[in-house]
Amino acid sequence: MTMKIGVFGGTFNPIHRGHLAAASAAAGQLSLDKLLLIPDAIPPHKPLPSGSAGAEERLEMARAALSHIPNASAEAWDGLLADFAREKGACALIKGVRNGIDFEWEY
């Protein structure tokens, strides 16, 4: 039987309750066997706010924050999210949207 794997990508800078609510909902409502959260690399052209966490720190924060979701984990990836999803055999990409503008951008 094939595992149902979902991938949730984002900068997660920092990971917050909205991210965790989306991860928890996806892990449960989509009946995923595994949810993989991937803190994306922050693009070089995007200025970092002061006090921003680096990639390793965001990965560790994500792992700690997801510890209460049994079928969720965080992994590092330094490429395109679609390539990661393909490599893992994912059946779903999870994206959180805050408003209509976010929805239009993601669409």
Side-chain angles (χ1 to χ4, degrees):
M1 181 174 171
T2 305
M3 286 184 71
K4 283 181 67 176
I5 299 171
V7 174
F8 186 8
T11 51
F12 306 110
N13 190 27
I15 191 163
H16 54 68
R17 289 181 180 161
H19 296 130
L20 295 176
S24 185
Q29 293 174 6
L30 296 177
S31 300
L32 298 174
D33 296 306
K34 183 183 272 187
L35 174 67
L36 299 170
L37 186 132
I38 310 301
D40 299 335
I42 297 175
H45 67 277
K46 188 174 179 180
L48 288 174
S50 77
S52 291
E56 276 301 312
E57 188 178 0
R58 285 183 291 122
L59 179 60
E60 290 306 313
M61 286 189 291
R63 286 179 174 155
L66 293 170
S67 64
H68 71 285
I69 305 172
N71 59 336
S73 61
E75 292 188 23
W77 181 258
D78 194 23
L80 295 174
L81 189 64
D83 291 337
F84 178 84
R86 189 176 303 110
E87 181 178 298
K88 296 295 182 176
C91 65
L93 291 176
I94 314 304
K95 289 300 288 183
V97 293
R98 294 170 286 223
N99 55 37
I101 294 169
D102 278 359
F103 177 80
E104 289 299 321
W105 172 256
E106 294 299 336
Y107 183 73

